Amino acid sequence: MKKIIVLLAVVIAVSCKSGQNKTTQKDAELSELVNLMQGTYSSEKQAAADTAYYSISLRMVPIWKNKGNYLYVEQALFKKQDKPYRVRIYKVSRKNNNEFISEIHTLKNEKEWIGKWRTPEAFDALTENDIELKPGCEVVLRRLGKNHFGGSTGAKTCPSELRGASYATSKVTLKEDQIISWDQGFDQNDKQVWGATQGGYIFDKLK
């Protein structure tokens, strides 16, 4: 009987350790994704090579570290970084064993937060009631390899009214020193009305 009890204890211990290892691995993959996303990026090199693309600045800074994986995001013309045309907060989490999700939130008083990426602790004064989820606009990502993720929004799940659009789509690829992001808007007849037409913006990581 003692041998059986000892054997069961060993099996349980091994099983628990295996479960812990899997959880640790999953947490490491999520951290890997968040680390890839954060930073300062620029499409200046692409714009210099192809006039069809603008020189864009992209910043993603971690905030609310005690609440989960949140990133404050500003996107602006490179020469007008003090006047971003997109201000967002992304919440990054694991969706299931194979997928991650980046949920998109707008800020109700976004002008008050422009430039606050310099002092991320300022966002401690921001509450979840001050942001609003954009349902259907989340980006679902898969890990394709070490420091390599890719994914997109749903086909027609993200509503948009910009420039006569009915819906918007986003395709994203993340690498160690680069983000490729292709945002497009389409009208109700599936005709593209805004966004790049030949491929995504290539953002090189500056720091």
Side-chain angles (χ1 to χ4, degrees):
M1 178 64 72
K2 289 183 179 180
K3 289 183 178 180
I4 294 174
I5 293 173
V6 170
L7 180 61
L8 285 173
V10 170
V11 170
I12 292 172
V14 170
S15 177
C16 288
K17 186 175 181 180
S18 176
Q20 290 173 353
N21 288 340
K22 288 181 180 179
T23 300
T24 301
Q25 181 181 358
K26 288 180 180 181
D27 290 344
E29 290 175 350
L30 178 58
S31 296
E32 181 181 75
L33 172 58
V34 175
N35 288 335
L36 283 179
M37 293 176 70
Q38 64 184 268
T40 301
Y41 297 83
S42 169
S43 68
E44 191 173 16
K45 186 183 297 184
Q46 182 187 31
D50 188 342
T51 57
Y53 293 87
Y54 294 98
S55 182
I56 303 295
S57 168
L58 171 65
R59 285 190 174 88
M60 292 195 279
V61 179
I63 63 170
W64 286 354
K65 293 184 179 180
N66 61 330
K67 295 183 180 181
N69 297 296
Y70 289 86
L71 297 165
Y72 171 72
V73 181
E74 282 188 9
Q75 197 165 324
L77 291 173
F78 197 80
K79 293 182 178 180
K80 295 183 178 180
Q81 295 184 42
D82 59 331
K83 296 179 180 179
Y85 59 81
R86 182 175 295 169
V87 179
R88 298 285 189 267
I89 287 180
Y90 295 169
K91 179 183 178 181
V92 187
S93 58
R94 179 178 286 278
K95 183 180 181 183
N96 53 45
N97 285 338
N98 302 313
E99 295 177 319
F100 303 85
I101 184 168
S102 177
E103 295 177 305
I104 316 300
H105 298 77
T106 57
L107 290 85
K108 294 180 180 178
N109 299 304
E110 65 177 42
K111 290 184 178 179
E112 296 180 10
W113 302 98
I114 291 175
K116 294 291 179 63
W117 54 267
R118 297 181 180 87
T119 53
E121 61 274 11
F123 289 93
D124 291 344
L126 187 72
T127 71
E128 294 181 19
N129 292 327
D130 297 319
I131 65 176
E132 187 173 344
L133 177 68
K134 287 177 65 66
C137 297
E138 63 275 4
V139 176
V140 177
L141 298 154
R142 282 179 172 268
R143 188 174 187 266
L144 305 176
K146 184 178 180 181
N147 292 323
H148 188 192
F149 292 78
S152 65
T153 56
K156 296 184 180 182
T157 60
C158 182
S160 173
E161 297 179 354
L162 179 64
R163 301 175 195 167
S166 176
Y167 65 93
T169 63
S170 294
K171 299 181 180 72
V172 180
T173 300
L174 296 124
K175 300 179 180 179
E176 189 168 7
D177 56 358
Q178 196 176 75
I179 293 177
I180 302 173
S181 178
W182 193 1
D183 298 335
Q184 297 171 285
F186 299 87
D187 66 17
Q188 58 185 359
N189 297 315
D190 300 326
K191 178 183 177 182
Q192 186 175 348
V193 292
W194 59 260
T197 58
Q198 299 177 15
Y201 270 80
I202 300 173
F203 293 97
D204 295 308
K205 195 166 192 174
L206 304 180
K207 61 181 179 179

